Structure formats: structure tokens, C-alpha cells
PDB file of all heavy atoms in Angstrom:
ATOM      1  N   SER F 655      21.738   5.679   1.914  1.00 82.00           N
ATOM      2  CA  SER F 655      22.036   4.201   1.812  1.00 82.00           C
ATOM      3  C   SER F 655      20.745   3.334   1.892  1.00 82.00           C
ATOM      4  O   SER F 655      20.835   2.058   1.761  1.00 82.00           O
ATOM      5  CB  SER F 655      22.880   3.725   3.001  1.00 82.00           C
ATOM      6  OG  SER F 655      22.234   3.957   4.213  1.00 82.00           O
ATOM      7  N   VAL F 656      19.528   4.014   2.007  1.00 83.00           N
ATOM      8  CA  VAL F 656      18.273   3.225   2.076  1.00 83.00           C
ATOM      9  C   VAL F 656      17.660   3.261   0.684  1.00 83.00           C
ATOM     10  O   VAL F 656      17.519   4.318   0.076  1.00 83.00           O
ATOM     11  CB  VAL F 656      17.372   3.989   3.078  1.00 83.00           C
ATOM     12  CG1 VAL F 656      15.920   3.128   3.130  1.00 83.00           C
ATOM     13  CG2 VAL F 656      17.982   4.011   4.479  1.00 83.00           C
ATOM     14  N   PRO F 657      17.280   2.076   0.254  1.00 86.00           N
ATOM     15  CA  PRO F 657      16.705   1.948  -1.074  1.00 86.00           C
ATOM     16  C   PRO F 657      15.353   2.665  -1.204  1.00 86.00           C
ATOM     17  O   PRO F 657      14.591   2.628  -0.198  1.00 86.00           O
ATOM     18  CB  PRO F 657      16.606   0.488  -1.328  1.00 86.00           C
ATOM     19  CG  PRO F 657      16.583  -0.170   0.003  1.00 86.00           C
ATOM     20  CD  PRO F 657      17.424   0.707   0.827  1.00 86.00           C
ATOM     21  N   ILE F 658      15.106   3.263  -2.367  1.00 87.00           N
ATOM     22  CA  ILE F 658      13.743   3.862  -2.587  1.00 87.00           C
ATOM     23  C   ILE F 658      12.935   3.042  -3.573  1.00 87.00           C
ATOM     24  O   ILE F 658      13.478   2.761  -4.668  1.00 87.00           O
ATOM     25  CB  ILE F 658      14.074   5.386  -3.131  1.00 87.00           C
ATOM     26  CG1 ILE F 658      14.711   6.183  -2.108  1.00 87.00           C
ATOM     27  CG2 ILE F 658      12.766   5.927  -3.671  1.00 87.00           C
ATOM     28  CD1 ILE F 658      15.112   7.557  -2.570  1.00 87.00           C
ATOM     29  N   VAL F 659      11.756   2.783  -3.131  1.00 86.00           N
ATOM     30  CA  VAL F 659      10.857   1.996  -4.017  1.00 86.00           C
ATOM     31  C   VAL F 659       9.621   2.896  -4.251  1.00 86.00           C
ATOM     32  O   VAL F 659       8.977   3.350  -3.254  1.00 86.00           O
ATOM     33  CB  VAL F 659      10.436   0.728  -3.314  1.00 86.00           C
ATOM     34  CG1 VAL F 659       9.367  -0.048  -4.167  1.00 86.00           C
ATOM     35  CG2 VAL F 659      11.598  -0.219  -3.134  1.00 86.00           C
ATOM     36  N   PHE F 660       9.242   3.122  -5.542  1.00 86.00           N
ATOM     37  CA  PHE F 660       8.012   3.871  -5.869  1.00 86.00           C
ATOM     38  C   PHE F 660       6.828   2.880  -5.806  1.00 86.00           C
ATOM     39  O   PHE F 660       6.919   1.762  -6.265  1.00 86.00           O
ATOM     40  CB  PHE F 660       8.138   4.508  -7.175  1.00 86.00           C
ATOM     41  CG  PHE F 660       8.872   5.806  -7.147  1.00 86.00           C
ATOM     42  CD1 PHE F 660      10.219   5.873  -7.557  1.00 86.00           C
ATOM     43  CD2 PHE F 660       8.369   7.054  -6.649  1.00 86.00           C
ATOM     44  CE1 PHE F 660      11.041   6.982  -7.496  1.00 86.00           C
ATOM     45  CE2 PHE F 660       9.078   8.209  -6.655  1.00 86.00           C
ATOM     46  CZ  PHE F 660      10.409   8.158  -7.024  1.00 86.00           C
ATOM     47  N   PHE F 661       5.729   3.379  -5.345  1.00 84.00           N
ATOM     48  CA  PHE F 661       4.436   2.497  -5.154  1.00 84.00           C
ATOM     49  C   PHE F 661       3.304   3.379  -5.834  1.00 84.00           C
ATOM     50  O   PHE F 661       2.995   4.393  -5.267  1.00 84.00           O
ATOM     51  CB  PHE F 661       4.243   2.276  -3.784  1.00 84.00           C
ATOM     52  CG  PHE F 661       3.225   1.244  -3.408  1.00 84.00           C
ATOM     53  CD1 PHE F 661       3.071   0.104  -4.235  1.00 84.00           C
ATOM     54  CD2 PHE F 661       2.409   1.402  -2.332  1.00 84.00           C
ATOM     55  CE1 PHE F 661       2.168  -0.803  -3.948  1.00 84.00           C
ATOM     56  CE2 PHE F 661       1.440   0.415  -2.034  1.00 84.00           C
ATOM     57  CZ  PHE F 661       1.352  -0.701  -2.845  1.00 84.00           C
ATOM     58  N   THR F 662       2.907   2.935  -6.924  1.00 81.00           N
ATOM     59  CA  THR F 662       2.007   3.857  -7.716  1.00 81.00           C
ATOM     60  C   THR F 662       0.930   3.085  -8.475  1.00 81.00           C
ATOM     61  O   THR F 662       1.159   1.951  -8.846  1.00 81.00           O
ATOM     62  CB  THR F 662       2.774   4.707  -8.757  1.00 81.00           C
ATOM     63  OG1 THR F 662       1.928   5.578  -9.522  1.00 81.00           O
ATOM     64  CG2 THR F 662       3.580   3.783  -9.717  1.00 81.00           C
ATOM     65  N   ARG F 663      -0.199   3.660  -8.655  1.00 78.00           N
ATOM     66  CA  ARG F 663      -1.253   3.194  -9.461  1.00 78.00           C
ATOM     67  C   ARG F 663      -1.329   3.955 -10.766  1.00 78.00           C
ATOM     68  O   ARG F 663      -1.895   3.524 -11.703  1.00 78.00           O
ATOM     69  CB  ARG F 663      -2.590   3.240  -8.631  1.00 78.00           C
ATOM     70  CG  ARG F 663      -3.779   2.562  -9.439  1.00 78.00           C
ATOM     71  CD  ARG F 663      -5.027   2.531  -8.507  1.00 78.00           C
ATOM     72  NE  ARG F 663      -4.825   1.601  -7.426  1.00 78.00           N
ATOM     73  CZ  ARG F 663      -4.666   2.069  -6.163  1.00 78.00           C
ATOM     74  NH1 ARG F 663      -4.653   3.348  -5.947  1.00 78.00           N
ATOM     75  NH2 ARG F 663      -4.504   1.224  -5.194  1.00 78.00           N
ATOM     76  N   LYS F 664      -0.932   5.221 -10.703  1.00 78.00           N
ATOM     77  CA  LYS F 664      -1.033   6.132 -11.801  1.00 78.00           C
ATOM     78  C   LYS F 664       0.089   6.231 -12.815  1.00 78.00           C
ATOM     79  O   LYS F 664      -0.012   6.598 -13.927  1.00 78.00           O
ATOM     80  CB  LYS F 664      -1.320   7.606 -11.348  1.00 78.00           C
ATOM     81  CG  LYS F 664      -2.379   7.722 -10.288  1.00 78.00           C
ATOM     82  CD  LYS F 664      -2.514   9.188  -9.871  1.00 78.00           C
ATOM     83  CE  LYS F 664      -3.476   9.452  -8.744  1.00 78.00           C
ATOM     84  NZ  LYS F 664      -2.854   9.109  -7.459  1.00 78.00           N
ATOM     85  N   GLY F 665       1.283   5.650 -12.379  1.00 77.00           N
ATOM     86  CA  GLY F 665       2.452   5.742 -13.131  1.00 77.00           C
ATOM     87  C   GLY F 665       2.458   5.005 -14.459  1.00 77.00           C
ATOM     88  O   GLY F 665       1.806   3.944 -14.592  1.00 77.00           O
ATOM     89  N   SER F 666       3.117   5.557 -15.406  1.00 80.00           N
ATOM     90  CA  SER F 666       3.271   5.036 -16.777  1.00 80.00           C
ATOM     91  C   SER F 666       4.577   4.294 -16.875  1.00 80.00           C
ATOM     92  O   SER F 666       5.411   4.361 -16.033  1.00 80.00           O
ATOM     93  CB  SER F 666       3.131   6.123 -17.833  1.00 80.00           C
ATOM     94  OG  SER F 666       4.254   6.955 -17.712  1.00 80.00           O
ATOM     95  N   LEU F 667       4.845   3.608 -18.027  1.00 81.00           N
ATOM     96  CA  LEU F 667       6.041   2.966 -18.235  1.00 81.00           C
ATOM     97  C   LEU F 667       7.149   4.021 -18.419  1.00 81.00           C
ATOM     98  O   LEU F 667       8.227   3.871 -17.849  1.00 81.00           O
ATOM     99  CB  LEU F 667       6.024   2.161 -19.664  1.00 81.00           C
ATOM    100  CG  LEU F 667       7.334   1.452 -20.049  1.00 81.00           C
ATOM    101  CD1 LEU F 667       7.717   0.431 -18.987  1.00 81.00           C
ATOM    102  CD2 LEU F 667       7.138   0.887 -21.377  1.00 81.00           C
ATOM    103  N   GLU F 668       6.859   5.243 -18.955  1.00 85.00           N
ATOM    104  CA  GLU F 668       7.841   6.228 -19.029  1.00 85.00           C
ATOM    105  C   GLU F 668       8.206   6.723 -17.537  1.00 85.00           C
ATOM    106  O   GLU F 668       9.303   7.037 -17.395  1.00 85.00           O
ATOM    107  CB  GLU F 668       7.292   7.423 -19.790  1.00 85.00           C
ATOM    108  CG  GLU F 668       7.199   7.122 -21.295  1.00 85.00           C
ATOM    109  CD  GLU F 668       5.940   6.278 -21.738  1.00 85.00           C
ATOM    110  OE1 GLU F 668       5.166   6.035 -20.723  1.00 85.00           O
ATOM    111  OE2 GLU F 668       5.887   5.784 -22.821  1.00 85.00           O
ATOM    112  N   ASP F 669       7.183   6.895 -16.732  1.00 85.00           N
ATOM    113  CA  ASP F 669       7.447   7.257 -15.352  1.00 85.00           C
ATOM    114  C   ASP F 669       8.381   6.287 -14.699  1.00 85.00           C
ATOM    115  O   ASP F 669       9.336   6.746 -13.885  1.00 85.00           O
ATOM    116  CB  ASP F 669       6.218   7.396 -14.593  1.00 85.00           C
ATOM    117  CG  ASP F 669       5.269   8.503 -15.117  1.00 85.00           C
ATOM    118  OD1 ASP F 669       5.809   9.459 -15.621  1.00 85.00           O
ATOM    119  OD2 ASP F 669       4.017   8.384 -14.859  1.00 85.00           O
ATOM    120  N   ALA F 670       8.118   5.018 -14.883  1.00 86.00           N
ATOM    121  CA  ALA F 670       8.980   3.924 -14.257  1.00 86.00           C
ATOM    122  C   ALA F 670      10.378   3.974 -14.727  1.00 86.00           C
ATOM    123  O   ALA F 670      11.372   3.901 -13.936  1.00 86.00           O
ATOM    124  CB  ALA F 670       8.335   2.517 -14.496  1.00 86.00           C
ATOM    125  N   ASN F 671      10.605   4.163 -16.055  1.00 88.00           N
ATOM    126  CA  ASN F 671      11.868   4.227 -16.575  1.00 88.00           C
ATOM    127  C   ASN F 671      12.685   5.482 -16.025  1.00 88.00           C
ATOM    128  O   ASN F 671      13.848   5.366 -15.693  1.00 88.00           O
ATOM    129  CB  ASN F 671      11.881   4.356 -18.070  1.00 88.00           C
ATOM    130  CG  ASN F 671      11.526   3.064 -18.758  1.00 88.00           C
ATOM    131  OD1 ASN F 671      11.760   1.937 -18.165  1.00 88.00           O
ATOM    132  ND2 ASN F 671      10.937   3.085 -19.903  1.00 88.00           N
ATOM    133  N   GLU F 672      11.955   6.553 -15.918  1.00 89.00           N
ATOM    134  CA  GLU F 672      12.563   7.805 -15.332  1.00 89.00           C
ATOM    135  C   GLU F 672      12.951   7.590 -13.934  1.00 89.00           C
ATOM    136  O   GLU F 672      14.074   7.950 -13.471  1.00 89.00           O
ATOM    137  CB  GLU F 672      11.576   8.945 -15.455  1.00 89.00           C
ATOM    138  CG  GLU F 672      12.187  10.309 -14.937  1.00 89.00           C
ATOM    139  CD  GLU F 672      13.308  10.846 -15.802  1.00 89.00           C
ATOM    140  OE1 GLU F 672      13.503  10.376 -16.931  1.00 89.00           O
ATOM    141  OE2 GLU F 672      14.030  11.653 -15.200  1.00 89.00           O
ATOM    142  N   ALA F 673      12.119   6.940 -13.131  1.00 88.00           N
ATOM    143  CA  ALA F 673      12.415   6.671 -11.684  1.00 88.00           C
ATOM    144  C   ALA F 673      13.573   5.808 -11.567  1.00 88.00           C
ATOM    145  O   ALA F 673      14.522   6.054 -10.761  1.00 88.00           O
ATOM    146  CB  ALA F 673      11.286   6.084 -11.071  1.00 88.00           C
ATOM    147  N   LEU F 674      13.696   4.734 -12.376  1.00 89.00           N
ATOM    148  CA  LEU F 674      14.860   3.844 -12.253  1.00 89.00           C
ATOM    149  C   LEU F 674      16.145   4.481 -12.719  1.00 89.00           C
ATOM    150  O   LEU F 674      17.171   4.254 -12.169  1.00 89.00           O
ATOM    151  CB  LEU F 674      14.496   2.576 -13.087  1.00 89.00           C
ATOM    152  CG  LEU F 674      13.387   1.670 -12.650  1.00 89.00           C
ATOM    153  CD1 LEU F 674      13.131   0.663 -13.727  1.00 89.00           C
ATOM    154  CD2 LEU F 674      13.733   1.071 -11.245  1.00 89.00           C
ATOM    155  N   SER F 675      15.990   5.348 -13.736  1.00 89.00           N
ATOM    156  CA  SER F 675      17.190   6.041 -14.224  1.00 89.00           C
ATOM    157  C   SER F 675      17.820   7.018 -13.197  1.00 89.00           C
ATOM    158  O   SER F 675      18.938   7.358 -13.222  1.00 89.00           O
ATOM    159  CB  SER F 675      16.900   6.687 -15.584  1.00 89.00           C
ATOM    160  OG  SER F 675      16.107   7.889 -15.371  1.00 89.00           O
ATOM    161  N   GLN F 676      16.893   7.478 -12.235  1.00 88.00           N
ATOM    162  CA  GLN F 676      17.314   8.410 -11.255  1.00 88.00           C
ATOM    163  C   GLN F 676      17.640   7.722  -9.979  1.00 88.00           C
ATOM    164  O   GLN F 676      17.796   8.412  -8.932  1.00 88.00           O
ATOM    165  CB  GLN F 676      16.223   9.488 -11.041  1.00 88.00           C
ATOM    166  CG  GLN F 676      16.056  10.342 -12.261  1.00 88.00           C
ATOM    167  CD  GLN F 676      15.286  11.596 -11.977  1.00 88.00           C
ATOM    168  OE1 GLN F 676      15.238  12.138 -10.773  1.00 88.00           O
ATOM    169  NE2 GLN F 676      14.684  12.207 -12.992  1.00 88.00           N
ATOM    170  N   GLY F 677      17.750   6.376 -10.010  1.00 88.00           N
ATOM    171  CA  GLY F 677      18.257   5.684  -8.772  1.00 88.00           C
ATOM    172  C   GLY F 677      17.272   4.888  -7.933  1.00 88.00           C
ATOM    173  O   GLY F 677      17.685   4.306  -6.971  1.00 88.00           O
ATOM    174  N   ALA F 678      16.063   4.906  -8.400  1.00 88.00           N
ATOM    175  CA  ALA F 678      15.058   4.126  -7.561  1.00 88.00           C
ATOM    176  C   ALA F 678      15.398   2.643  -7.706  1.00 88.00           C
ATOM    177  O   ALA F 678      15.922   2.192  -8.720  1.00 88.00           O
ATOM    178  CB  ALA F 678      13.676   4.353  -8.015  1.00 88.00           C
ATOM    179  N   THR F 679      15.216   1.822  -6.614  1.00 87.00           N
ATOM    180  CA  THR F 679      15.517   0.447  -6.642  1.00 87.00           C
ATOM    181  C   THR F 679      14.444  -0.309  -7.509  1.00 87.00           C
ATOM    182  O   THR F 679      14.799  -1.315  -8.149  1.00 87.00           O
ATOM    183  CB  THR F 679      15.558  -0.078  -5.259  1.00 87.00           C
ATOM    184  OG1 THR F 679      16.669   0.533  -4.504  1.00 87.00           O
ATOM    185  CG2 THR F 679      15.908  -1.657  -5.245  1.00 87.00           C
ATOM    186  N   ALA F 680      13.255   0.097  -7.343  1.00 86.00           N
ATOM    187  CA  ALA F 680      12.160  -0.625  -8.046  1.00 86.00           C
ATOM    188  C   ALA F 680      10.904   0.292  -8.126  1.00 86.00           C
ATOM    189  O   ALA F 680      10.798   1.206  -7.451  1.00 86.00           O
ATOM    190  CB  ALA F 680      11.787  -1.951  -7.315  1.00 86.00           C
ATOM    191  N   VAL F 681      10.015  -0.132  -8.999  1.00 85.00           N
ATOM    192  CA  VAL F 681       8.674   0.561  -9.117  1.00 85.00           C
ATOM    193  C   VAL F 681       7.638  -0.509  -8.916  1.00 85.00           C
ATOM    194  O   VAL F 681       7.590  -1.444  -9.794  1.00 85.00           O
ATOM    195  CB  VAL F 681       8.572   1.393 -10.442  1.00 85.00           C
ATOM    196  CG1 VAL F 681       7.093   1.996 -10.460  1.00 85.00           C
ATOM    197  CG2 VAL F 681       9.643   2.395 -10.634  1.00 85.00           C
ATOM    198  N   LEU F 682       6.827  -0.537  -7.849  1.00 84.00           N
ATOM    199  CA  LEU F 682       5.783  -1.436  -7.615  1.00 84.00           C
ATOM    200  C   LEU F 682       4.489  -0.875  -7.957  1.00 84.00           C
ATOM    201  O   LEU F 682       4.227   0.282  -7.738  1.00 84.00           O
ATOM    202  CB  LEU F 682       5.865  -1.937  -6.267  1.00 84.00           C
ATOM    203  CG  LEU F 682       7.185  -2.531  -5.775  1.00 84.00           C
ATOM    204  CD1 LEU F 682       7.044  -3.119  -4.301  1.00 84.00           C
ATOM    205  CD2 LEU F 682       7.560  -3.732  -6.632  1.00 84.00           C
ATOM    206  N   LYS F 683       3.558  -1.655  -8.502  1.00 80.00           N
ATOM    207  CA  LYS F 683       2.238  -1.279  -8.890  1.00 80.00           C
ATOM    208  C   LYS F 683       1.208  -1.444  -7.761  1.00 80.00           C
ATOM    209  O   LYS F 683       1.089  -2.511  -7.182  1.00 80.00           O
ATOM    210  CB  LYS F 683       1.775  -1.962 -10.109  1.00 80.00           C
ATOM    211  CG  LYS F 683       0.509  -1.384 -10.773  1.00 80.00           C
ATOM    212  CD  LYS F 683       0.098  -2.211 -12.044  1.00 80.00           C
ATOM    213  CE  LYS F 683      -1.117  -1.562 -12.677  1.00 80.00           C
ATOM    214  NZ  LYS F 683      -2.254  -1.660 -11.835  1.00 80.00           N
ATOM    215  N   LYS F 684       0.486  -0.381  -7.434  1.00 79.00           N
ATOM    216  CA  LYS F 684      -0.552  -0.486  -6.420  1.00 79.00           C
ATOM    217  C   LYS F 684      -1.653  -1.377  -7.043  1.00 79.00           C
ATOM    218  O   LYS F 684      -1.940  -1.246  -8.228  1.00 79.00           O
ATOM    219  CB  LYS F 684      -1.127   0.882  -6.029  1.00 79.00           C
ATOM    220  CG  LYS F 684      -0.170   1.707  -5.244  1.00 79.00           C
ATOM    221  CD  LYS F 684      -0.778   3.044  -4.915  1.00 79.00           C
ATOM    222  CE  LYS F 684       0.179   3.919  -4.163  1.00 79.00           C
ATOM    223  NZ  LYS F 684      -0.413   5.349  -3.921  1.00 79.00           N
ATOM    224  N   PRO F 685      -2.339  -2.268  -6.251  1.00 76.00           N
ATOM    225  CA  PRO F 685      -3.361  -3.055  -6.881  1.00 76.00           C
ATOM    226  C   PRO F 685      -4.543  -2.189  -7.355  1.00 76.00           C
ATOM    227  O   PRO F 685      -4.893  -1.186  -6.744  1.00 76.00           O
ATOM    228  CB  PRO F 685      -3.827  -3.891  -5.698  1.00 76.00           C
ATOM    229  CG  PRO F 685      -2.679  -3.946  -4.764  1.00 76.00           C
ATOM    230  CD  PRO F 685      -1.934  -2.623  -4.894  1.00 76.00           C
ATOM    231  N   ASP F 686      -5.218  -2.548  -8.377  1.00 72.00           N
ATOM    232  CA  ASP F 686      -6.306  -1.935  -8.944  1.00 72.00           C
ATOM    233  C   ASP F 686      -7.635  -2.501  -8.453  1.00 72.00           C
ATOM    234  O   ASP F 686      -7.733  -3.618  -8.239  1.00 72.00           O
ATOM    235  CB  ASP F 686      -6.388  -1.983 -10.498  1.00 72.00           C
ATOM    236  CG  ASP F 686      -5.326  -1.123 -11.160  1.00 72.00           C
ATOM    237  OD1 ASP F 686      -5.144  -0.033 -10.714  1.00 72.00           O
ATOM    238  OD2 ASP F 686      -4.629  -1.627 -12.059  1.00 72.00           O
ATOM    239  N   ALA F 687      -8.631  -1.613  -8.319  1.00 66.00           N
ATOM    240  CA  ALA F 687      -9.984  -2.078  -7.919  1.00 66.00           C
ATOM    241  C   ALA F 687     -10.639  -2.571  -9.043  1.00 66.00           C
ATOM    242  O   ALA F 687     -10.505  -2.159 -10.169  1.00 66.00           O
ATOM    243  CB  ALA F 687     -10.718  -0.930  -7.182  1.00 66.00           C
ATOM    244  N   THR F 688     -11.568  -3.586  -8.885  1.00 65.00           N
ATOM    245  CA  THR F 688     -12.293  -4.133  -9.954  1.00 65.00           C
ATOM    246  C   THR F 688     -13.761  -3.702  -9.772  1.00 65.00           C
ATOM    247  O   THR F 688     -14.281  -3.428  -8.663  1.00 65.00           O
ATOM    248  CB  THR F 688     -12.273  -5.635 -10.027  1.00 65.00           C
ATOM    249  OG1 THR F 688     -12.683  -6.186  -8.680  1.00 65.00           O
ATOM    250  CG2 THR F 688     -10.880  -6.101 -10.293  1.00 65.00           C
ATOM    251  N   GLY F 689     -14.538  -3.617 -10.874  1.00 62.00           N
ATOM    252  CA  GLY F 689     -15.914  -3.245 -10.819  1.00 62.00           C
ATOM    253  C   GLY F 689     -16.092  -1.716 -10.882  1.00 62.00           C
ATOM    254  O   GLY F 689     -15.157  -0.970 -10.824  1.00 62.00           O
ATOM    255  N   GLY F 690     -17.340  -1.340 -11.048  1.00 61.00           N
ATOM    256  CA  GLY F 690     -17.616   0.150 -11.102  1.00 61.00           C
ATOM    257  C   GLY F 690     -17.882   0.722  -9.753  1.00 61.00           C
ATOM    258  O   GLY F 690     -18.775   0.125  -8.981  1.00 61.00           O
ATOM    259  N   GLN F 691     -17.268   1.840  -9.354  1.00 58.00           N
ATOM    260  CA  GLN F 691     -17.556   2.477  -8.160  1.00 58.00           C
ATOM    261  C   GLN F 691     -17.991   3.929  -8.540  1.00 58.00           C
ATOM    262  O   GLN F 691     -17.291   4.646  -9.279  1.00 58.00           O
ATOM    263  CB  GLN F 691     -16.250   2.478  -7.292  1.00 58.00           C
ATOM    264  CG  GLN F 691     -15.791   1.151  -6.832  1.00 58.00           C
ATOM    265  CD  GLN F 691     -14.852   0.513  -7.821  1.00 58.00           C
ATOM    266  OE1 GLN F 691     -14.026   1.215  -8.444  1.00 58.00           O
ATOM    267  NE2 GLN F 691     -14.933  -0.776  -7.985  1.00 58.00           N
ATOM    268  N   HIS F 692     -19.048   4.384  -7.849  1.00 65.00           N
ATOM    269  CA  HIS F 692     -19.569   5.711  -8.174  1.00 65.00           C
ATOM    270  C   HIS F 692     -19.649   6.648  -7.073  1.00 65.00           C
ATOM    271  O   HIS F 692     -20.183   7.756  -7.196  1.00 65.00           O
ATOM    272  CB  HIS F 692     -21.008   5.472  -8.703  1.00 65.00           C
ATOM    273  CG  HIS F 692     -21.112   4.506  -9.852  1.00 65.00           C
ATOM    274  ND1 HIS F 692     -20.654   4.779 -11.159  1.00 65.00           N
ATOM    275  CD2 HIS F 692     -21.602   3.171  -9.929  1.00 65.00           C
ATOM    276  CE1 HIS F 692     -20.907   3.764 -11.909  1.00 65.00           C
ATOM    277  NE2 HIS F 692     -21.417   2.817 -11.254  1.00 65.00           N
ATOM    278  N   ASP F 693     -18.953   6.295  -5.907  1.00 70.00           N
ATOM    279  CA  ASP F 693     -18.855   7.303  -4.865  1.00 70.00           C
ATOM    280  C   ASP F 693     -17.586   7.039  -4.104  1.00 70.00           C
ATOM    281  O   ASP F 693     -16.955   5.983  -4.224  1.00 70.00           O
ATOM    282  CB  ASP F 693     -20.062   7.326  -3.885  1.00 70.00           C
ATOM    283  CG  ASP F 693     -20.287   5.889  -3.266  1.00 70.00           C
ATOM    284  OD1 ASP F 693     -19.456   5.598  -2.320  1.00 70.00           O
ATOM    285  OD2 ASP F 693     -21.148   5.222  -3.626  1.00 70.00           O
ATOM    286  N   ALA F 694     -17.170   7.942  -3.362  1.00 74.00           N
ATOM    287  CA  ALA F 694     -15.833   7.917  -2.599  1.00 74.00           C
ATOM    288  C   ALA F 694     -15.778   6.677  -1.733  1.00 74.00           C
ATOM    289  O   ALA F 694     -14.702   6.014  -1.686  1.00 74.00           O
ATOM    290  CB  ALA F 694     -15.535   9.130  -1.844  1.00 74.00           C
ATOM    291  N   THR F 695     -16.816   6.396  -0.967  1.00 78.00           N
ATOM    292  CA  THR F 695     -16.772   5.257  -0.082  1.00 78.00           C
ATOM    293  C   THR F 695     -16.628   3.920  -0.837  1.00 78.00           C
ATOM    294  O   THR F 695     -15.796   3.022  -0.424  1.00 78.00           O
ATOM    295  CB  THR F 695     -18.106   5.211   0.749  1.00 78.00           C
ATOM    296  OG1 THR F 695     -18.273   6.404   1.496  1.00 78.00           O
ATOM    297  CG2 THR F 695     -18.104   3.990   1.680  1.00 78.00           C
ATOM    298  N   ALA F 696     -17.339   3.759  -1.947  1.00 77.00           N
ATOM    299  CA  ALA F 696     -17.160   2.527  -2.757  1.00 77.00           C
ATOM    300  C   ALA F 696     -15.850   2.429  -3.317  1.00 77.00           C
ATOM    301  O   ALA F 696     -15.274   1.283  -3.402  1.00 77.00           O
ATOM    302  CB  ALA F 696     -18.211   2.630  -3.861  1.00 77.00           C
TER     303      ALA F 696
END
């Protein structure tokens, strides 16, 4: 009875459609970082 929401940065439109067709309530996009980062800390 608890809604499932996917939270993703990598997902495609096809992934979102598949998730919704399998009963997910929504697919939310994780915010993207801006600028160039060249190490894990950045």
C-alpha cells in the first residue's frame, strides 16, 4: 500500500515508462552537477 517513487540520474525515458507500467507512482530526476569535475571529491 506504500507508493514507490524512483529517484534516478541515469534513467532514460524508456526506463521511466517501464517503471510506471510496472506500478511506480512517479519517476523523479536526481539533480545534475554543473561544470567539469575530474576527481571523486569534486
Side-chain angles (χ1 to χ4, degrees):
S655 63
V656 179
I658 292 174
V659 177
F660 282 99
F661 193 37
T662 180
R663 185 175 294 107
K664 308 182 186 82
S666 64
L667 179 60
E668 289 78 11
D669 294 333
N671 287 335
E672 180 67 18
L674 294 173
S675 70
Q676 294 196 23
T679 299
V681 179
L682 302 181
K683 188 177 184 299
K684 293 178 181 176
D686 287 317
T688 56
Q691 298 86 37
H692 304 289
D693 60 73
T695 301

